[in-house]
Amino acid sequence: MNSLRSRVSAVDRHRRHRSTARAIRRLLPEPESWLDVGTGEAHFPETARKLFPYTSIDGLDPGPRVAYARHLERIEEAYAGHVTDRHITSILRGRYDVVTLLDRRSPVPDPRTELPAALSLLRPGGLLLVEAAPRESYELRRRLEAQDCTIVAASRHVLDRLPYTYRIIARRPRSAA
């Protein structure tokens, strides 16, 4: 029974990851660089690589699983830490075309600084994809718009056994206003 359950959840996870990657593909057909925040063992980058074979996909996670993901070649570069860590933001600032903050990621020390930190890692015009619980989605949109980001896509998205979550894709301003 557990084997069947784990196979079903793996299939669901793969479908969800493929759907997430396709959402980016509609807006940016071939990004040069991508960072998956809270990547764990990099199951999402592994799926995204099938749609974006020429994109450099890196992973960031506070635990040791990110090194294992690099060993398995699911990601190109592995960074250990949180998106809010100063040493992370200083070396990765303005480096990525896409940054993903998917649901069920590792908690950060200060959630209020997570969004600005993730946005700082994007190149001008880059895309930030965030999955959030319904109760958090309105506040998240408001905070993105306060950062002068344009919401380019938003949708309800079914995740595993949860009723749904919101997927929001925002574009960082192309230049300082």
Side-chain angles (χ1 to χ4, degrees):
M1 185 70 167
N2 277 343
S3 176
L4 177 61
R5 184 176 294 153
S6 66
R7 268 189 273 140
V8 170
S9 65
V11 168
D12 286 346
R13 180 182 66 221
H14 178 74
R15 284 182 184 155
R16 183 187 52 183
H17 289 166
R18 190 174 58 224
S19 172
T20 300
R22 282 183 178 158
I24 291 295
R25 189 175 194 165
R26 290 183 198 109
L27 298 166
L28 190 60
E30 194 62 52
E32 183 180 319
S33 58
W34 190 319
L35 178 68
D36 185 42
V37 176
T39 198
E41 292 179 2
H43 293 288
F44 172 71
E46 180 180 40
T47 302
R49 185 174 303 284
K50 293 173 185 163
L51 290 173
F52 300 97
Y54 303 109
T55 299
S56 172
I57 303 177
D58 299 340
L60 170 66
D61 197 85
R65 299 177 308 164
V66 71
Y68 179 66
R70 172 65 189 104
H71 171 74
L72 294 176
E73 298 182 351
R74 291 178 179 165
I75 53 176
E76 292 195 27
E77 297 291 331
Y79 299 98
H82 295 281
V83 70
T84 56
D85 294 345
R86 285 188 187 167
H87 71 278
I88 295 292
T89 55
S90 66
I91 62 173
L92 300 181
R93 183 174 307 282
R95 184 171 174 179
Y96 295 100
D97 295 315
V98 179
V99 172
T100 47
L101 296 168
L102 302 182
D103 197 52
R104 298 189 196 131
R105 60 191 180 273
S106 302
V108 293
D110 184 4
R112 293 172 292 140
T113 61
E114 181 182 39
L115 198 59
L119 288 169
S120 76
L121 306 182
L122 286 170
R123 293 179 177 150
L127 298 174
L128 175 68
L129 185 146
V130 183
E131 288 181 345
R135 65 185 177 283
E136 301 167 352
S137 64
Y138 176 77
E139 176 65 18
L140 180 61
R141 288 178 72 122
R142 190 187 65 72
R143 289 178 54 215
L144 284 165
E145 289 168 346
Q147 296 280 329
D148 293 326
C149 292
T150 304
I151 306 297
V152 293
S155 62
R156 281 179 21 163
H157 186 63
V158 176
L159 285 177
D160 300 332
R161 289 174 289 284
L162 298 176
Y164 61 89
T165 188
Y166 278 91
R167 179 189 296 152
I168 300 169
I169 303 174
R171 185 178 304 279
R172 183 176 177 213
R174 294 202 183 274
S175 63

